[in-house]
Amino acid sequence: KLLYQLLFIYDHANPLNITVNMEKLIQCPVFSLPDPQWYPARQSIRLDPKGKSLKDEDVLQNLPVGTTATFYFRDLGAQISWVTVFLTEYTGPLLIYLMFYFRVPFIYAPKYDFTTSKHWVVHLACMCHSFHYVKRLLETLFVHRFSHGTMPLRNIFKNCSYYWGFAAWMAYYINHPLYTPPIYGEQQIRLALIIFLFCQIGNFSIHIALRNLRPPGSKTRKIPYPTKNPFTWIFLLVSCPNYTYELGSWLGFTLMTQCVPVAFFTLVGFIQMTVWAKGKHRSYLKEFRDYPPLRSPILPFIL
Amino acid sequence: MASSEEDGSVEEKENNNKKRTKSAVATAWLTFYNIAMTAGWLVLAMTMMRFYIQKGTHKGLYRSIARTLKFFQTFALVEVGHCAIGIVRTSVIVTGVQVCSRIFMVWFITNSIRQIQNEESVLLFLVVWTVTEITRYSYYTFNLLNHLPYFIKWARYNLFIVMYPLGVIGELLTIYAALPYVRRSGMYCMRLPNKYNVSFDYYYCLIIVMLSYIPLFPQLYFHMLRQRRKMLHGEVIVEKDD
């Protein structure tokens, strides 16, 4: 992907121009790009070819430029909004799992079509799995505040393959006519359900706490701290407790279903979330001098 | 003050020495490793040639070199370690994929499915692997000794153009030949019901493996082609940096 060099001459002396920020500048008729289909979300403008992208809120006056400003432009490729990606990747597992639960034809042997499992844990698992993804969909619509509006288009294919593929793989075995319920029976299922619900509430509490850190429409970043909600007290030990609780939920679900594909999904998710948590933790440390030293990225004291 | 300055510089020298000795150890190990591997694959090549000249057929050839092949191909796993700790500057993933596909062929196909050991496709990929590995390891050896004859460099960056596709053909034909035996014997299969609530069918796994060559082979092939352009023609390639 090529980098274009743009030259923009603006008059430092003219006070009307000084407070122009990048978002407004891009829409200014003077600022014309080689290809008109490069809508703002696709544009990466930077002051240094190898540097970081300038943000929409950056104001010309505060940038290290003289009376002429040289910007470098890069096309980020087709973009898609985070909300769209999240809604698509979460609706898939919800519907796919239900297809396996209701034993839609062509999945299992024809004599099992539209039958239901005789194990009550299978019904419970369906409720938990569906609840989890409904919760995620509602959070995407009403809770989350995204700092980036968009991501590259190819991500939707990658993400959907991951979520939809794993959902199908797990659902196939859990809802299979030859499914074997957990060895330790009711005790195991009850414990698993408690862990699952506890972590779901925890995860939701963290999402609410993170939302409240940021006023609507702003993109400020602040250190999250424990609130009155006991589920947020984990902030004392962990930078990204939403991932911690997510791991806990899936461990609960693995225990509940006693199913290797679920364990696998939990493991892969854990590895990915650890990578994200470490990155977030590092950027917290870089951005805030007074960041609490006791915190670990995802697992208290361990990771 | 003067003494602390001295201490500082002595410490720095020690650190530099440590870095230099560390990379000297690494270089020594890598040189030994690459010489050993070149020798190993040369032995394999000579054993194969001798067998074919003496017996006039390739039947039984695999059995005669099976142990040596397994030893040297499995030992190549350390190369993933080399990339991981950084003494070799190659991507861990690329090396990992290549070594794993070899290990898979040797241990999970030719070793476990005896009926296909005398197939012509096995001979094909054995020959390809031998030629490729001898070229590759001798290239690394000469590189480490800072005395690289041009013909080795030429061989490394040109032979693959023919060897790679031939090797893939040999491997795919071998897996394809193994399919009926796998299906009949039901080897490596896990059926429902079981307490882990999972099933595994080696037959379908092999089909997926064969299909995975479609996206993977072009990527590795074009990676080698790009390396070739860089090393032989010194072209400045515009790198995609995201």
Side-chain angles (χ1 to χ4, degrees), chain A residues 282-293:
Chain A
R282 224 176 298 134
S283 59
Y284 274 145
L285 288 173
K286 241 198 286 182
E287 190 164 348
F288 303 109
R289 283 292 144 83
D290 56 338
Y291 196 72

Side-chain angles (χ1 to χ4, degrees), chain A residues 109-130:
Chain A
K111 67 176 176 181
Y112 295 113
D113 287 351
F114 297 118
T115 55
T116 44
S117 174
K118 57 182 182 210
H119 307 289
W120 69 274
V121 67
V122 172
H123 308 301
L124 182 64
C126 181
M127 286 189 271
C128 290
H129 188 272
S130 307

Side-chain angles (χ1 to χ4, degrees), chain A residues 7 46 82 87 111 194 241 271 288:
Chain A
L7 204 54
R46 38 184 100 165
W82 272 69
L87 292 178
K111 67 176 176 181
I194 294 171
I271 293 172
F288 303 109

Side-chain angles (χ1 to χ4, degrees), chain A residues 6 12 24 60 62 138 151 154-155 230 234 240 251 257 262:
Chain A
L6 310 159
H12 231 304
K24 290 214 184 68
L60 266 183
N62 303 332
L138 293 175
M151 64 167 87
R154 82 182 88 89
N155 277 15
I234 192 177
C240 302
L251 283 173
T257 55
V262 181

Side-chain angles (χ1 to χ4, degrees), chain B residues 157 160 218-232 235 237-240:
Chain B
Y157 286 106
F160 81 90
Q219 286 188 34
L220 290 170
Y221 195 59
F222 287 121
H223 172 80
M224 282 304 288
L225 281 174
R226 256 178 283 138
Q227 292 292 99
R228 173 178 180 271
R229 252 190 289 156
K230 224 194 320 185
M231 299 300 286
L232 289 187
E235 253 180 56
I237 298 169
V238 176
E239 278 299 321
K240 269 197 205 177

Side-chain angles (χ1 to χ4, degrees), chain A residues 22 26 28 35 50 71 92 113 120 127 132 146 148 151 155 165 198 203 206 222 230 235-236 244 273 277 286 291 295:
Chain A
M22 291 311 299
I26 287 165
C28 179
D35 192 331
K50 300 228 169 89
F71 295 117
D113 287 351
W120 69 274
M127 286 189 271
H132 179 81
F146 296 99
H148 303 285
M151 64 167 87
N155 277 15
F198 183 88
N203 180 267
I206 301 298
K222 302 212 290 255
F235 268 122
L236 291 167
T244 318
M273 288 192 289
K286 241 198 286 182
Y291 196 72
R295 294 191 190 182

Side-chain angles (χ1 to χ4, degrees), chain A residues 263-281:
Chain A
F264 213 75
F265 179 64
T266 310
L267 177 68
V268 176
F270 173 56
I271 293 172
Q272 175 66 85
M273 288 192 289
T274 305
V275 170
W276 288 337
K278 287 193 158 195
K280 190 105 193 109
H281 185 75

